[in-house]
Amino acid sequence: MDKDSTGILYLESRRLVKRWSGPWPALVNTLVMAVFFYITWWIFQDPRGVFRLYTPYVGYMVCRWMLILFIWLAYIFDFWPFKRSWLERTHPVVKGTVLTLVSVAAMFVLIKGFFIELLGNYGIAYFNPSRLEEMGITEFYALEYATEAIMMFAAIASWLSPSWVVACEGAPWNKLKQPAKGLTIMVVTFFLSMVVYFVTMHSHMAILFYPWQQYTAITPPYWETFANTVSGNFHIAWIMCCTVVVWQFETIWERYPFNLIKTDWLRRTASFFGIILIALALCFFLYYAQDLVWGETVRGTRRLAAPDWRWLHVGEMAIFWLVPTLFLNFYCGNWPNNFSRPVRVCIRTFLTAALAVLVYVVYYKTSHLFLGTQKGFSHPQQFPMIPMIWLINIFLINVWFMDGWPGWKAVPRTAEELQEVEDEKVASDVRWSPALAKGLAVGIACGVGLYAVVVGILPWIGQTVQIIK
């Protein structure tokens, strides 16, 4: 049988094996990625570097669209039009270079051809910076407004596209061959992204211009009454949380507990909307946590106390969680693996959350020293999502495109292993029992207790811990 037509993604058809024993593969890859991150950051993003894309929205747009192109190529199109035999035989460095360049070229065509030239010239003016400049907007703001709008399409798509493959398992088109399968899922999720964009971010773009564009958008936006701001940062918050929760669901949570549902349509529906509900809970908790640490939000103020910035910071904090999550999954074997599924999922969640706090503190203490960003939490030139997503993109290039080289190599899975991968979509190692019910009750009680402890301790942290002097 043609390997390309088995219906199993290339990423699932291979098993990454360490080239050396012990922690050396993880240490070597970490060093290689750190060097590659800093070199590419200096060349493309750093305000002191070569291309200086960190304006910040131009750089943010590039980061986001690179991420979604990587997702489309690996998850949606399963590397079509590249043959499975080419993926298996080509040297990882060559493969990584080719696949990255193809993704970047497609990104350029999409941004320049579709958004700027097509939509910007024949649909909505704010997608084209040149048109905004001709109408009197300064060059800087014209570029920032246009790239912010284009970036938000990618942010929404980077949640919906993997959700359709991971939560909905590609249904109802999961049996189609490429490229019909990839094109269908891409078009459907792009359409859904467009709908979400117009009911979330279009009104935000309309109020950036004076007078507000009341004949083309809802102004003031409908979310003002409950988000305490007219800014679209409210939507950036929950959409970023959705993006992060999708990857939590796929990696450290092993799709648990939704994969206990054996009925296909119910499992897929529950997974898709369950991700959204978990993300909303995370979103509102992180917003509330800022009130506990920094004091109440004050509408009309700027910087740290402003509700619009705090909604943005919700998305930033969520992205900080994604970095250790992917690192644990990609380079630490999704440790631990020697407990029952509920226990190991719980340990990974707390471990990655703790590591996210560590990354958060280290970033704000040091980023201004070597990334060219500005010191402070809420400075307009301080966008931690950009370096975090830039690093995540490097993770994906290394693991998806280069098979974890140099620390790992890809070997084909056996037929039995492939069947295990397919069977994992429905968990078989956790069954309902009185013991499980008791465990769930204890877990809920512990969760409520932990929440109370965190809420109680956050004000003390705000008064005694100083990250930035």
Side-chain angles (χ1 to χ4, degrees):
M1 179 184 292
D2 182 3
K3 292 181 180 179
D4 292 15
S5 62
T6 59
I8 297 176
L9 293 175
Y10 169 72
L11 298 180
E12 296 177 345
S13 72
R14 49 156 213 187
R15 181 164 51 88
L16 298 185
V17 178
K18 288 182 177 181
R19 292 180 184 270
W20 316 291
S21 60
W24 290 110
L27 294 174
V28 170
N29 277 41
T30 300
L31 178 61
V32 170
M33 285 186 298
V35 172
F36 188 70
F37 169 85
Y38 196 74
I39 291 174
T40 55
W41 180 267
W42 174 263
I43 294 172
F44 296 105
Q45 294 281 3
D46 199 307
R48 307 158 300 179
V50 181
F51 291 101
R52 304 180 182 183
L53 297 178
Y54 189 100
T55 62
Y57 273 112
V58 174
Y60 196 9
M61 174 191 68
V62 170
C63 281
R64 273 292 176 180
W65 274 109
M66 282 181 63
L67 176 62
I68 190 61
L69 261 299
F70 293 166
I71 291 171
W72 282 353
L73 180 60
Y75 260 52
I76 306 300
F77 282 92
D78 191 20
F79 294 99
W80 180 88
F82 297 95
K83 294 289 187 181
R84 187 68 61 88
S85 57
W86 182 84
L87 295 172
E88 293 174 342
R89 297 171 187 170
T90 306
H91 191 278
V93 175
V94 175
K95 184 166 58 173
T97 303
V98 171
L99 295 175
T100 302
L101 291 177
V102 167
S103 300
V104 171
M107 175 189 71
F108 179 81
V109 171
L110 192 61
I111 292 173
K112 178 66 174 173
F114 179 74
F115 285 102
I116 295 177
E117 297 299 335
L118 181 61
L119 289 186
N121 284 326
Y122 303 103
I124 303 174
Y126 64 64
F127 282 112
N128 189 327
S130 298
R131 293 185 70 89
L132 293 181
E133 205 174 337
E134 291 171 2
M135 291 186 286
I137 306 294
T138 61
E139 180 183 1
F140 175 78
Y141 283 107
L143 187 59
E144 291 295 279
Y145 290 170
T147 51
E148 180 183 10
I150 297 170
M151 176 276 299
M152 277 311 300
F153 258 90
I156 297 166
S158 63
W159 149 47
L160 287 172
S161 294
S163 282
W164 204 277
V165 176
V166 173
C168 300
E169 301 166 16
W173 309 290
N174 49 323
K175 301 298 183 182
L176 292 178
K177 294 182 180 180
Q178 297 292 358
K181 177 182 177 180
L183 285 171
T184 304
I185 295 176
M186 186 190 75
V187 169
V188 170
T189 53
F190 196 85
F191 168 74
L192 291 175
S193 299
M194 185 173 294
V195 173
V196 173
Y197 174 87
F198 277 109
V199 298
T200 58
M201 292 304 296
H202 180 61
S203 291
H204 168 82
M205 298 304 300
I207 66 173
L208 293 179
F209 308 98
Y210 183 81
W212 288 359
Q213 310 299 294
Q214 61 181 340
Y215 296 109
T216 61
I218 306 302
T219 60
Y222 62 87
W223 60 84
E224 178 189 18
T225 55
F226 55 85
N228 201 28
T229 180
V230 295
S231 172
N233 285 351
F234 165 70
H235 296 292
I236 291 177
W238 69 265
I239 289 169
M240 292 303 102
C241 288
C242 283
T243 302
V244 172
V245 171
V246 169
W247 293 106
Q248 305 287 338
F249 174 86
E250 170 71 344
T251 57
I252 65 170
W253 294 348
E254 304 175 46
R255 307 191 184 193
Y256 180 83
F258 298 98
N259 58 358
L260 298 179
I261 304 172
K262 300 189 182 301
T263 306
D264 288 345
W265 71 267
L266 184 57
R267 179 180 65 255
R268 293 162 182 166
T269 304
S271 298
F272 184 84
F273 289 103
I275 286 170
I276 297 174
L277 291 175
I278 294 170
L280 289 173
L282 174 64
C283 174
F284 286 105
F285 170 74
L286 292 177
Y287 187 80
Y288 177 46
Q290 293 176 83
D291 282 358
L292 295 174
V293 173
W294 288 320
E296 248 186 283
T297 54
V298 181
R299 186 168 180 177
T301 59
R302 295 185 177 182
R303 308 292 292 271
L304 207 65
D308 58 327
W309 179 81
R310 289 197 179 178
W311 285 121
L312 174 66
H313 198 52
V314 166
E316 293 170 343
M317 288 190 285
I319 292 296
F320 277 115
W321 192 17
L322 186 56
V323 172
T325 293
L326 293 181
F327 188 89
L328 184 75
N329 180 257
F330 289 164
Y331 302 110
C332 301
N334 217 20
W335 183 90
N337 294 293
N338 54 343
F339 300 101
S340 66
R341 190 187 300 257
V343 172
R344 62 180 184 253
V345 166
C346 183
I347 293 174
R348 290 175 196 145
T349 301
F350 286 118
L351 175 62
T352 53
L355 291 173
V357 173
L358 178 63
V359 174
Y360 179 97
V361 172
V362 171
Y363 176 85
Y364 281 109
K365 279 188 171 293
T366 64
S367 65
H368 60 283
L369 300 175
F370 60 92
L371 293 181
T373 61
Q374 297 298 314
K375 189 175 183 179
F377 287 107
S378 56
H379 193 282
Q381 280 291 100
Q382 179 60 281
F383 263 69
M385 280 190 280
I386 303 175
M388 293 300 106
I389 296 173
W390 193 259
L391 179 60
I392 287 167
N393 286 339
I394 291 173
F395 284 176
L396 298 184
I397 291 171
N398 181 241
V399 175
W400 286 1
F401 295 174
M402 300 176 65
D403 301 322
W405 184 91
W408 280 262
K409 62 181 178 180
V411 297
R413 292 184 187 271
T414 64
E416 292 77 12
E417 289 173 334
L418 290 175
Q419 189 59 48
E420 287 177 7
V421 170
E422 191 66 23
D423 292 343
E424 272 300 293
K425 292 178 181 177
V426 181
S428 58
D429 59 340
V430 179
R431 298 181 183 277
W432 182 259
S433 67
L436 181 59
K438 185 177 179 180
L440 285 173
V442 171
I444 292 171
C446 290
V448 172
L450 179 64
Y451 177 81
V453 170
V454 171
V455 169
I457 203 174
L458 282 176
W460 175 83
I461 291 175
Q463 294 172 5
T464 58
V465 177
Q466 187 179 30
I467 296 176
I468 300 175
K469 295 182 180 180

